[in-house]
Amino acid sequence: MSSDFPTEPLLFFNSAEARTVDALAAQIIPSEADSPGAHEAGVVFYIDRALAGFMRDLRPLYRRGLQTLSDLSNKSFGAEFSALSDEQQRQLVETLDARAKADPDDFAGQFFRIIGEHTVQGFFGDPAYGGNRDVVGWKLVGFPGAQWGYTAEQMQPGVDARRIPISTVADLYARIRKVSS
Amino acid sequence: MKEKFDVIIVGLGASGGIIAEQLTAAGVRVLGLEKGADYTQDDFAVKQDELRYYQRGAIVSGGTVDPVTWRADNKSVARLFPWSAGVLGSDEPLYGMPAIGVGGGTLHWAGAAYRFREADFRMRSAIAERFGESSLPEGSTVADWPISYADLEPYYEKAEWEQGYSGSAGNIKGQFAPGTNPFDPPRNRDFPMPPVQQCPGDVPWVAATERLGMHPFRQPLAMNSVEYKGRPACVNCGFCHGYPCHVAARSSTHVTSVPAAKLTGNLDLRPHSRVIQVNRTPDGKRVIGVTYVDSADETHEVEAPIVILSAYALENARLMLVSGITGRGQVGANFMTHNFGWFASILPEATNPFLGTFNASSAIDDFTSEMVPDNDLGVLWGSPVISVTGDLQPIEAFHLMNPGVQKYGLEFKHWMRDNYTHMHRMYSQTTNFPYPRHYVDLDPSIKDRLGVPAIRITHEWEDHDANSVELFGGIKRRIAQEMGAKETWMDSSRPPYHLSTHDVGVHRMGYDPETSVTDPFGAVHDIDGLYAVGGGSFVSYGGYNPTETIQALAYLSAEHLLERWGCAVGLGTRTPENERHVL
């Protein structure tokens, strides 16, 4: 237990819930060699902080959803989702996706869609929200992030977006402080 | 003793801001009641944040503040907004109501600044002429407007020059310049600014439409392309539609008209002041003022001989209905909205869709309005086809992504990696005919925090709507193929939204109180002193964005009000001195 205890404070989840969310997010946006995924982006910390604040109305839904996932995982493989092998996790995710597609009112399927949405938010949102660490989401797709603006040269056809230095909301704050001092 | 004013304006948005400016400049003492904030530029200093503005809708009112319900027909129980998002509650905010706050929807509009065409003002007659009287949609209340394009032309020009629109006019007094829109209705004058910087993804679209014999033109935008009236040019930041502007380059009454009105000293502007009732004399024939609730939840009654409702169309209807003003059953009738028929492509070349504004691109009018192609689908009215190549952030891209692609795992990750920078979109805005079965009224059970009933929409897409999306989907597909698109996909022709910040027609203008709510100036029939202005006045709804026409109508209403008050108004009501302050 102690070795996989969270590396930084949680505001809503307990450590077991955080491990489950981290593992599920990693199935939605997997990590590859040289290509970080939801785990490296810190998506679980984005979701945890959102549930402690803006998304607090979704807390009961998350509690119930994580319990449903735990039941499903234990029933299918006799262990918690975060303790399953990658292959077993993938099988469960396929089941959840199939259930979401077959019946929009199926709760487990719905919960999977919601975590999918929040994983994408945590992966592609500004790092100020706790996810998208080291702007790995933006690096992946070639989004230069929070830019003050773009020049006419940058708006020409044929420009390689990945050559534009990525900027965050925090960088824009620093820019304004610099300009005004 | 109750406070008394010359005029009370309810809602300082696209039209209320303009009317406030015009009246206060002529010395009229105006009380402006705005239910949202009066933001400063400091509020928007850093707004390049997709989660805050686009996904969480920081400046739109959202369902918790102004609840809206929807049902498909009058036998169903209406569901609370956001009905298209399910339990997520994270629907795209602009499939909702526009922002509240000074500036209203102009705080975050994409700025598509289209005039309606001549035929749009005589839709019923034009359809009958083209397809025959018997082809008119059965049971529809579609009608000609009581005013013509020519009547409104000077006010369109005023909106373009006063509010700051950029573009390249196609038809200046019958003269056409190369590369402009050959289907443009005649104008007296060009735009005050050239078009903004074009997005790279628009270049292949222009080339493809030209090869197909179409006539692409740069879209007119309420956006500065050069410094204008002291506001800077757009810096192409790519956080535009749904976002406030950090440099005040976008035309919003928040930075154009309202600051000018404040400088006159004649505007008493009260933000966070929510009007809950229009008050009349006991016989109901004269308006005497309004009741509003301030940010401390205190209720106030204020008086004026003239009350102008310039909130969002649906909110105007809601206010009239909660005040017992039904207009012989016409208030809330003739609801119309747009169906966008979103069509996405993955192009061989990079589009870098994060660049620039939403509409820093081109459109074609070859099939618009009365020029709808002959077709077997029974489509009677056309739409522009519009290229969108900018202002796309990654989370929105995920929402728009190809529905045939898995939304998890390496397939999903690699799709986003390989395709985001190559996305291109097109849309049309096909006409939505008015029917008695499409209307808004008060929800019988859902109320807002103050106990005011929610507005309830009863609307379903008709076959004509779906067929129009299919017809224009075919045109978009041809263009996409010509661009060499590697993947394409299209939105449902019966989309779930029914509400999109483009909702109009619920207090129709006309001369007959049996079939309309206001006269062409916005004066509500049978109630002296009460005006309702905005998109609610529209009689029919073609394929263009509504805001320029809303602003032109606001200038028309203001001029009428000043004539009624024995004043005159014209272009250039700002003095050089106050101009400096505005900026």
Side-chain angles (χ1 to χ4, degrees):
Chain A
M1 163 112 182
S2 57
S3 65
D4 53 7
F5 203 71
T7 50
E8 59 191 85
L10 295 168
L11 308 183
F12 170 70
F13 292 132
N14 66 30
S15 61
E17 289 168 338
R19 278 195 298 277
T20 302
V21 171
D22 188 32
L24 189 51
Q27 285 299 333
I28 292 163
I29 305 179
S31 310
E32 300 163 273
D34 306 325
S35 175
H39 173 72
E40 291 77 15
V43 160
V44 62
F45 296 108
Y46 164 77
I47 297 177
D48 179 63
R49 289 172 202 182
L51 287 168
F54 183 80
M55 304 196 307
R56 61 187 166 281
D57 292 350
L58 297 182
R59 286 173 178 193
L61 186 143
Y62 261 84
R63 294 276 190 219
R64 189 179 154 213
L66 289 169
Q67 187 59 52
T68 305
L69 183 62
S70 173
D71 293 348
L72 197 64
S73 178
N74 276 294
K75 201 175 132 203
S76 308
F77 299 108
E80 290 298 313
F81 185 81
S82 57
L84 304 184
S85 71
D86 182 55
E87 178 54 36
Q88 289 170 327
Q89 288 184 349
R90 259 189 289 153
Q91 275 186 38
L92 270 189
V93 163
E94 276 167 29
T95 305
L96 291 170
D97 185 55
R99 283 172 69 161
K101 281 178 180 147
D103 176 8
D105 293 327
D106 176 79
F107 178 73
Q110 230 174 37
F111 180 64
F112 176 65
R113 278 184 47 226
I114 289 166
I115 279 215
E117 177 75 25
H118 295 157
T119 298
V120 168
Q121 289 181 358
F123 194 69
F124 290 123
D126 193 272
Y129 293 80
N132 193 12
R133 295 181 176 191
D134 194 26
V135 293
V136 294
W138 296 348
K139 282 178 187 162
L140 175 74
V141 298
F143 177 58
Q147 300 280 337
W148 183 262
Y150 293 98
T151 63
E153 290 71 36
Q154 288 171 321
M155 290 189 68
Q156 297 308 308
V159 170
D160 179 0
R162 286 183 170 82
R163 299 182 79 97
I164 301 172
I166 291 175
S167 167
T168 65
V169 165
D171 293 331
L172 291 181
Y173 275 68
R175 179 188 195 272
I176 291 173
R177 279 200 310 277
K178 199 170 149 196
V179 168
S180 52
S181 66
Chain B
M1 205 182 99
K2 287 170 193 156
E3 289 182 287
K4 288 182 165 47
F5 298 86
D6 296 335
V7 171
I8 295 170
I9 297 180
V10 181
L12 279 290
S15 52
I18 285 174
I19 294 172
E21 177 186 23
Q22 298 294 303
L23 299 191
T24 55
V28 179
R29 287 171 50 252
V30 171
L31 172 65
L33 296 173
E34 167 54 54
K35 64 183 171 183
D38 185 15
Y39 294 107
T40 67
Q41 268 315 110
D42 205 35
D43 288 303
F44 305 147
V46 177
K47 55 72 199 248
Q48 291 89 337
D49 181 344
E50 184 180 13
L51 282 172
R52 180 171 176 172
Y53 289 102
Y54 214 81
Q55 301 306 325
R56 298 181 176 179
I59 58 169
V60 299
S61 63
T64 52
V65 179
D66 287 302
V68 189
T69 67
W70 166 82
R71 56 184 185 167
D73 57 62
N74 65 9
K75 291 180 194 70
S76 316
V77 176
R79 290 145 67 192
L80 185 63
F81 174 85
W83 53 82
S84 57
V87 290
L88 276 177
S90 63
D91 201 7
E92 306 288 350
L94 298 186
Y95 289 133
M97 306 263 266
I100 57 173
V102 171
T106 63
L107 281 172
H108 60 61
W109 64 320
Y114 285 100
R115 296 178 174 203
F116 289 178
R117 311 176 56 71
E118 290 149 304
D120 288 319
F121 294 89
R122 45 190 304 281
M123 188 186 278
R124 192 190 185 285
S125 300
I127 290 172
E129 285 159 15
R130 165 92 186 265
F131 297 102
E133 191 80 19
S134 62
S135 71
L136 282 159
E138 200 182 335
S140 170
T141 48
V142 64
D144 293 351
W145 294 44
I147 54 172
S148 67
Y149 173 81
D151 292 327
L152 211 51
E153 201 282 333
Y155 304 94
Y156 277 135
E157 180 184 322
K158 206 161 172 176
E160 288 159 4
W161 283 77
E162 288 284 292
Q163 297 297 317
Y165 289 7
S166 57
S168 186
N171 180 352
I172 301 169
K173 298 177 181 168
Q175 298 294 309
F176 291 85
T180 62
N181 181 7
F183 307 108
D184 206 19
R187 303 157 183 266
N188 187 47
R189 203 177 177 196
D190 203 346
F191 292 94
M193 290 172 273
V196 299
Q197 177 69 42
Q198 185 184 28
C199 284
D202 192 44
V203 174
W205 192 86
V206 167
T209 49
E210 278 177 347
R211 285 196 300 274
L212 290 168
M214 302 168 188
H215 301 83
F217 62 92
R218 290 299 312 282
Q219 293 188 72
L221 282 186
M223 205 82 62
N224 284 3
S225 57
V226 292
E227 185 178 324
Y228 186 69
K229 289 183 180 269
R231 292 185 294 111
C234 171
V235 295
N236 313 309
C237 74
F239 292 83
C240 196
H241 179 237
Y243 298 84
C245 185
H246 62 315
V247 295
R250 169 171 42 214
S251 172
S252 162
T253 57
H254 171 246
V255 293
T256 57
S257 294
V258 176
K262 284 177 180 170
L263 281 176
T264 65
N266 294 324
L267 174 65
D268 185 339
L269 173 62
R270 299 183 188 174
H272 304 294
S273 298
R274 176 173 287 262
V275 175
I276 55 170
Q277 186 169 292
V278 176
N279 300 320
R280 292 177 285 162
T281 49
D283 64 7
K285 289 183 177 164
R286 263 210 66 81
V287 75
I288 52 175
V290 301
T291 303
Y292 75 92
V293 178
D294 67 17
S295 59
D297 275 358
E298 280 181 33
T299 302
H300 306 265
E301 268 185 54
V302 283
E303 295 188 342
I306 293 182
V307 171
I308 299 161
L309 304 181
S310 47
Y312 191 54
L314 305 189
E315 290 290 88
N316 275 357
R318 182 186 182 201
L319 257 179
M320 284 192 270
L321 292 172
V322 297
S323 308
I325 299 163
T326 58
R328 308 186 196 187
Q330 289 298 302
V331 174
N334 301 308
F335 172 86
M336 297 176 283
T337 188
H338 272 149
N339 188 330
F340 299 97
W342 283 104
F343 188 103
S345 309
I346 301 302
L347 299 191
E349 57 274 82
T351 57
N352 291 346
F354 49 82
L355 296 165
T357 82
F358 198 74
N359 287 309
S361 50
S362 302
I364 51 164
D365 261 342
D366 296 64
F367 312 109
T368 304
S369 301
E370 79 282 11
M371 299 180 292
V372 63
D374 289 328
N375 64 87
D376 300 329
L377 292 166
V379 176
L380 302 168
W381 207 251
S383 163
V385 176
I386 297 172
S387 158
V388 176
T389 54
D391 197 7
L392 179 66
Q393 303 89 38
I395 304 171
E396 192 194 356
F398 161 70
H399 291 158
L400 300 173
M401 74 182 272
N402 190 340
V405 177
Q406 196 168 272
K407 297 296 185 296
Y408 64 91
L410 288 176
E411 181 179 336
F412 165 51
K413 186 185 178 190
H414 293 169
W415 192 94
M416 286 294 289
R417 180 193 68 194
D418 297 340
N419 293 311
Y420 167 66
T421 52
H422 288 63
M423 282 177 82
H424 178 277
R425 292 174 289 161
M426 288 179 252
Y427 70 104
S428 49
Q429 301 174 131
T430 43
T431 200
N432 184 219
F433 291 119
Y435 287 91
R437 56 184 175 268
H438 299 168
Y439 59 96
V440 298
D441 62 358
L442 299 176
D443 193 282
S445 52
I446 309 248
K447 295 179 169 54
D448 70 12
R449 195 178 62 81
L450 299 170
V452 181
I455 199 79
R456 175 173 67 178
I457 299 169
T458 303
H459 175 263
E460 190 50 286
W461 301 112
E462 303 283 338
D463 290 344
H464 188 274
D465 298 310
N467 289 339
S468 300
V469 171
E470 293 301 335
L471 178 68
F472 281 81
I475 295 168
K476 293 166 197 163
R477 192 165 291 112
R478 256 163 61 208
I479 298 170
Q481 282 164 355
E482 187 63 31
M483 289 193 290
K486 298 193 290 184
E487 282 178 41
T488 62
W489 64 97
M490 195 172 93
D491 222 3
S492 160
S493 59
R494 297 176 189 270
Y497 38 79
H498 306 281
L499 175 67
S500 67
T501 72
H502 281 220
D503 317 299
V504 300
V506 292
H507 51 79
R508 170 185 278 200
M509 68 162 77
Y511 292 113
D512 181 359
E514 296 295 337
T515 56
S516 63
V517 175
T518 77
D519 74 8
F521 305 108
V524 174
H525 300 314
D526 306 330
I527 303 174
D528 200 24
L530 181 63
Y531 287 75
V533 300
S537 309
F538 290 8
V539 178
S540 62
Y541 205 20
Y544 295 116
N545 303 62
T547 303
E548 181 170 1
T549 299
I550 288 171
Q551 296 204 312
L553 288 171
Y555 279 110
L556 176 69
S557 291
E559 187 182 275
H560 157 86
L561 282 156
L562 288 170
E563 280 169 4
R564 179 176 167 157
W565 280 75
C567 309
V569 68
L571 288 169
T573 48
R574 293 173 184 169
T575 65
E577 194 190 8
N578 73 24
E579 197 69 75
R580 275 199 299 278
H581 281 87
V582 171
L583 323 167

